[in-house]
């Protein structure tokens, strides 16, 4: 196996083990709850339109605002994690997204509901980068790709809870009880985190970093962005994540019900299929990337191509409605989008030293959410402008995929070459470390 094809253990790697699994599990449970809250609107979109008397554009504003806050905070969150540590940042996040979910439950107006989703997005923004940082602090570098994919898988499990549990609660106990009851999950993970979470194992404290205000912030961002691996990671995340995010977060249910003529139950089953497919493919992608780093780019590009083909086949099907087998195939392929987006972090991680991991991850994570936010807005505007023509509105996906794919192809060779140089240098340094 070549130097570029598999990660290696590096000097100073944390040991992992049962203690690491326990601490990481507590941290990832916070992300699990954040995803439940984030995706709760996906199963309540039609109910929200009726409750607040809004059209498609206004309905999409809920998710757009939430993602706008999320995306805008990614670099600040990365800097916060690098400076304050995981536990403090996650604590702030839990408090904010729990208050946001609770506020959404009791919102009497569209404006207050918007403010609640913005608060939720703010808290949600603090979670994933923190969990990635927790993984790098507690597990060896060679476990990085698999740990990151497992974090994404747990997040999709949160999406599954929204699809299966919250949807049923919404229609059995009503809007307020369903959303207020789900907010209790935030209280539970806050208690668990307070009792069990630690930033790093004993003896593996990060080296102190001198912080010099604005100069430090600018330097962290500039050095992270200078690495081609960080930029490639951003564009991989940008290009792969958003088709499934848009489908699950808001427009999948209306598309399946209004454009494809399915019942809500059947549409919910297909949304569940996206989540289940994501979880299975995430395990497969994690194992492949952990063993063969050279597979990262082919997996990412292959996922983009498969998604584009299935998306085009579905929305441009010549009949009034696409057949069920085609909708099943689309939802199965969309399940690969989340795992493929995690590959972006596998480009940024080896390109940056430990003290910049949070910042670099924040830059990468911003990509997919900017793409999702842009597409959510474009679809909502096009639906209103075309009289709910999903065929035209959903074609916005191809524009962003083309932009992202061109950047991946432009940066991939430079990023891999730079990563290989770093790996060789680290091995030489390890050989010459005095015993």
């Amino acid at each position: 196996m070549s130097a570029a094809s598999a990660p290696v253990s590096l000097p100073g790697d944390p040991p992992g083990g049962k203690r690491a699994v326990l601490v990481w599990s507590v941290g990832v449970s916070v992300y699990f709850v954040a995803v439940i809250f984030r995706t709760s609107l996906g199963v309540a979109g039609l109910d929200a339109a009726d409750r607040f008397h809004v059209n498609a554009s206004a309905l999409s504003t809920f998710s757009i605002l939430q993602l706008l806050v999320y995306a805008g905070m990614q670099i600040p969150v990365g800097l916060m994690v690098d400076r304050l540590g995981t536990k403090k940042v996650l604590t702030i996040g839990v408090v904010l997204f729990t208050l946001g979910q609770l506020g959404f439950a009791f919102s009497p107006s569209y404006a207050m509901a918007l403010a609640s989703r913005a608060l939720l997005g703010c808290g949600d923004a603090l979670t994933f980068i923190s969990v990635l940082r927790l993984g790098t602090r507690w597990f060896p570098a060679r476990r990085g790709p698999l740990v990151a994919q497992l974090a994404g898988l747990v997040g999709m499990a949160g999406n599954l809870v929204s699809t299966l549990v919250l949807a049923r609660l919404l229609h059995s106990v009503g809007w307020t009880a369903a959303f207020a009851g789900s907010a209790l999950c935030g209280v539970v993970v806050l208690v668990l985190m307070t009792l069990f979470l630690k930033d790093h194992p004993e003896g593996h404290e990060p080296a102190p970093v001198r912080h010099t205000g604005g100069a430090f912030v600018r330097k962290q961002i500039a050095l992270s962005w200078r690495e081609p691996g960080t930029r490639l990671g951003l564009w991989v995340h940008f290009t792969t994540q958003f088709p499934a995010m848009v489908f699950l977060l808001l427009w999948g249910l209306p598309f399946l019900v209004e454009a494809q003529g399915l019942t809500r139950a059947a549409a919910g089953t297909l949304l569940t299929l996206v989540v289940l497919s994501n979880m299975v493919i995430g395990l497969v992608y994690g194992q492949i990337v952990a063993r063969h780093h050279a597979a990262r780019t082919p997996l990412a590009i292959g996922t983009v191509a498969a998604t584009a083909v299935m998306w085009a086949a579905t929305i441009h099907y010549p009949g009034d409605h696409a057949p069920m087998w085609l909708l099943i195939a689309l939802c199965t392929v969309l399940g690969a989008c989340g795992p493929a987006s995690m590959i972006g972090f596998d480009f940024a991680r080896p390109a940056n030293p430990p003290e910049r991991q949070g910042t670099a991850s924040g830059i990468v994570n911003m990509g997919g959410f900017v793409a999702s936010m842009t597409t959510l807005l474009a679809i909502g505007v096009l639906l209103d402008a075309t009289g709910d023509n999903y065929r035209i509105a959903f074609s916005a996906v191809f524009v962003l995929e083309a932009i992202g794919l061109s950047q991946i192809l432009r940066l991939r060779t430079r990023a891999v070459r730079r990563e290989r140089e770093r790996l060789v240098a680290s091995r030489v340094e390890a050989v010459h470390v005095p015993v």
Side-chain angles (χ1 to χ4, degrees):
M1 191 175 291
S2 67
S5 64
V8 296
S9 297
L10 300 175
D13 260 358
K18 293 182 179 179
R19 174 67 172 165
V21 172
L22 173 63
V23 173
W24 180 83
S25 298
V26 173
V28 83
S29 69
V30 176
Y31 178 57
F32 171 77
V33 174
V35 173
I36 294 176
F37 292 178
R38 178 200 304 169
T39 58
S40 58
L41 186 61
V43 297
L46 296 177
D47 299 87
D50 293 337
R51 180 179 177 87
F52 300 113
H53 310 290
V54 294
N55 60 14
S57 296
L59 181 61
S60 66
T61 303
F62 277 121
S63 296
I64 292 166
L65 178 62
Q66 183 179 333
L67 292 183
L68 178 64
V69 172
Y70 188 105
M73 287 191 63
Q74 287 311 291
I75 293 177
V77 167
L79 292 164
M80 287 174 63
V81 172
D82 285 337
R83 183 165 187 173
L84 301 178
T86 300
K87 186 169 185 176
K88 290 180 181 178
V89 176
L90 277 180
T91 300
I92 298 170
V94 172
V95 172
L96 291 178
F97 69 58
T98 301
L99 290 175
Q101 186 79 340
L102 197 60
F104 196 59
F106 293 99
S107 294
S109 66
Y110 176 68
M112 185 173 289
L114 274 179
S116 297
R117 294 305 286 187
L119 186 63
L120 192 156
C122 184
D124 183 16
L126 301 176
T127 59
F128 188 64
I129 300 303
S130 299
V131 170
L132 287 181
R133 171 63 173 263
L134 197 67
T136 62
R137 290 299 188 195
W138 281 89
F139 293 96
R142 68 181 184 277
R143 301 294 185 194
L146 183 58
V147 170
Q149 287 287 355
L150 287 174
L153 186 151
V154 172
M156 291 310 296
N159 202 324
L160 193 63
V161 170
S162 289
T163 305
L164 296 179
V165 179
L166 190 60
R168 285 174 171 78
L169 284 175
L170 188 64
H171 295 107
S172 62
V173 301
W175 180 282
T176 301
F179 281 99
S182 66
L184 293 175
C185 296
V187 178
V188 173
V189 294
L190 181 61
V191 172
L192 290 174
M193 190 174 57
T194 302
L195 293 176
F196 300 111
L197 192 69
K198 289 188 64 176
D199 283 351
H200 48 75
E202 297 294 336
H204 289 269
E205 295 82 359
V209 179
R210 301 187 68 178
H211 303 287
T212 55
F216 168 76
V217 170
R218 289 191 296 271
K219 183 179 179 181
Q220 284 285 91
I221 296 172
L223 291 175
S224 298
W225 182 255
R226 190 176 300 167
E227 292 292 341
T230 303
R231 300 198 302 276
L232 177 59
L234 179 145
W235 285 109
V236 167
H237 200 268
F238 177 100
T239 314
T240 54
Q241 187 206 46
F242 78 93
M245 176 69 73
V246 166
F247 201 80
L248 289 171
L249 199 60
L250 185 60
W251 291 122
L253 186 67
F255 168 72
L256 294 171
V257 173
E258 296 177 353
Q260 299 303 319
L262 300 183
T263 64
R264 285 197 181 202
T269 300
L270 286 176
L271 293 179
T272 303
L273 175 61
V274 178
V275 177
L276 292 175
S277 173
N278 182 297
M279 297 171 74
V280 173
I281 294 173
L283 289 174
V284 175
Y285 277 21
Q287 292 287 351
I288 292 174
V289 174
R291 289 174 168 79
H292 309 284
H293 259 194
R296 291 172 298 175
T297 302
L299 282 177
I301 293 176
T303 301
V304 174
T307 303
V309 168
M310 294 310 304
W311 197 273
T314 302
I315 65 174
H316 294 293
Y317 189 78
D320 292 336
H321 303 305
M324 181 57 73
W325 67 263
L326 184 55
L327 295 176
I328 291 173
L330 170 67
C331 292
T332 302
V333 170
L334 285 176
C337 291
S341 72
M342 300 300 296
I343 295 172
F345 299 103
D346 293 320
F347 283 110
R349 188 183 302 109
N352 292 273
E355 63 271 16
R356 287 206 311 266
Q357 287 295 320
T359 305
S361 296
I363 292 172
V364 171
N365 206 33
M366 187 171 61
F369 289 93
V370 168
S372 297
M373 177 180 60
T374 304
T375 310
L376 284 168
L377 176 61
I379 290 175
V381 170
L382 288 171
L383 284 174
D384 285 338
T386 61
D388 292 338
N389 188 323
Y390 280 91
R391 184 167 294 180
I392 295 175
F394 271 34
S395 294
V397 167
F398 304 121
V399 177
L400 273 77
E401 284 190 325
I403 293 171
L405 186 58
S406 67
Q407 295 301 312
I408 292 173
L409 295 175
R410 182 177 70 87
L411 289 165
R412 58 177 180 168
T413 302
R414 196 184 321 167
V416 171
R417 182 173 62 247
R418 173 69 169 155
E419 183 178 312
R420 186 181 296 114
E421 291 170 355
R422 281 182 172 273
L423 182 58
V424 171
S426 67
R427 284 175 167 171
V428 171
E429 180 182 344
V431 168
H432 290 88
V433 169
V435 178

